[in-house]
Amino acid sequence: MIPVVDNNPRGILRKASDHYARPWTSNLPQTHSFASEISEPSTGCGLFLDGFLRPAISEFISVFTAIFLFLHVNSELNQRHIATVHRISILALVDAISTLTFMSAFKTVHLNPCITVAQLFSLSTSWFICGVLFLCQLAASTLAVAAHHLLTKDSPKLIAYNHDVTNDQSVAIYKMIVCQLIGTLFVVICHLLSSVTLSRRAGSFRLGAFKENPLCLFCAVGLSTMLNQLHSTMDWNPLTALASSFFVFISGDSNAFSSLYLFWLGPIIGGLLACFLFSNPA
């Protein structure tokens, strides 16, 4: 027989106020867990600060650092001629750790435009905030790629898919798109299931925040980067491909954007599919 606690059959390991199956932590302050309570934005200046300015700055810092770290670590591993399987594993771990850090610290960051689109269509975050976060993502990814090229003095390179000469080129593209779709599907679903909406007082400042244990998201991002690296030179974030294509374009290559859609098709479909499968309980 399952015990009933506060009229809710949760079992002996969980109470109505607990987020984890650890009864000995139920008396600790909420700030000691990943499920710490986040206060709703106040009105006036506080609403602007907590509902707009801080999320925008946090998004910019997170995207810039995450993409720069990926590009830098990838460049260093290539210079050291690290084996492919080891390089992919390290890059997947770097992406997963950076995502875990920023999601846990800032709560409101998306890092990936597919998560932003999913937050928009699931009504967890208002369209105005999603637009602001997307602009911050574009600016941060562009500056991250620029900083990397200035630091390494390398000429910008396009993101490419891995093509085996023994197989048809279209087969390699299809495999890459399917793997990107699956990876993004996992990431977006994990993020949506772990997020809550902070405030519904003002529609333009409705903001989704990461609130649950980020272990599932950590695993999903690592898997997504690994799947992308098996079939391309891209990480889990399609912003890397967009920013790289932009710098190749301004370097004089007019065909820089001709194949960019290949690296956005899978993530966008995966994000929209995850949003369709997700049912917002709010």
Side-chain angles (χ1 to χ4, degrees):
M1 179 178 179
I2 300 177
V4 178
V5 180
D6 297 333
N7 298 324
N8 192 2
R10 292 175 176 268
I12 61 175
L13 295 180
R14 296 190 64 184
K15 297 181 180 179
S17 60
D18 291 340
H19 291 275
Y20 303 101
R22 297 182 296 181
W24 57 86
T25 62
S26 58
N27 295 326
L28 293 177
Q30 288 292 334
T31 53
H32 288 182
S33 72
F34 287 112
S36 58
E37 296 295 333
I38 306 174
S39 59
E40 292 185 350
S42 56
T43 58
C45 183
L47 179 63
F48 174 78
L49 181 64
D50 295 331
F52 173 76
L53 189 59
R54 284 178 179 171
I57 296 176
S58 300
E59 189 74 25
F60 182 89
I61 294 174
S62 302
V63 173
F64 176 87
T65 307
I67 292 182
F68 180 81
L69 279 177
F70 173 83
L71 295 174
H72 176 70
V73 173
N74 187 32
S75 176
E76 293 296 321
L77 293 177
N78 288 330
Q79 291 180 8
R80 288 164 173 77
H81 305 286
I82 304 297
T84 302
V85 63
H86 296 158
R87 183 179 60 82
I88 292 177
S89 301
I90 294 174
L91 290 175
L93 182 61
V94 168
D95 266 348
I97 291 176
S98 61
T99 301
L100 171 67
T101 302
F102 292 124
M103 290 287 184
S104 301
F106 295 133
K107 305 294 185 183
T108 59
V109 297
H110 296 168
L111 291 170
N112 191 314
C114 298
I115 294 180
T116 303
V117 171
Q119 286 279 327
L120 173 63
F121 282 97
S122 64
L123 304 180
S124 298
T125 303
S126 60
W127 66 268
F128 174 74
I129 298 298
C130 286
V132 171
L133 295 182
F134 181 68
L135 292 178
C136 292
Q137 292 168 0
L138 290 178
S141 59
T142 303
L143 290 179
V145 174
H148 173 260
H149 290 312
L150 290 176
L151 183 64
T152 59
K153 304 299 183 181
D154 293 336
S155 57
K157 298 179 181 178
L158 288 174
I159 297 296
Y161 59 88
N162 299 331
H163 173 46
D164 190 354
V165 294
T166 60
N167 296 327
D168 188 8
Q169 183 177 2
S170 59
V171 174
I173 295 176
Y174 290 145
K175 290 194 296 184
M176 180 190 69
I177 294 177
V178 170
C179 287
Q180 289 176 342
L181 187 153
I182 295 174
T184 305
L185 178 66
F186 286 172
V187 171
V188 174
I189 284 182
C190 289
H191 189 276
L192 289 176
L193 290 176
S194 303
S195 300
V196 294
T197 300
L198 290 186
S199 176
R200 294 184 183 276
R201 297 177 189 171
S204 59
F205 287 100
R206 190 173 67 252
L207 183 64
F210 193 81
K211 198 174 181 183
E212 297 297 331
N213 193 322
L215 179 60
C216 61
L217 187 64
F218 175 86
C219 298
V221 171
L223 175 63
S224 181
T225 296
M226 185 185 69
L227 291 174
N228 275 277
Q229 282 288 302
L230 287 175
H231 300 284
S232 68
T233 59
M234 190 177 75
D235 60 340
W236 74 291
N237 199 336
L239 288 171
T240 308
L242 178 61
S244 300
S245 298
F246 173 75
F247 275 94
V248 172
F249 176 78
I250 64 178
S251 298
D253 188 355
S254 58
N255 296 322
F257 295 101
S258 60
S259 60
L260 179 62
Y261 71 97
L262 296 175
F263 304 99
W264 280 77
L265 186 60
I268 289 178
I269 295 177
L272 293 177
L273 180 60
C275 182
F276 174 77
L277 297 175
F278 173 75
S279 177
N280 193 346

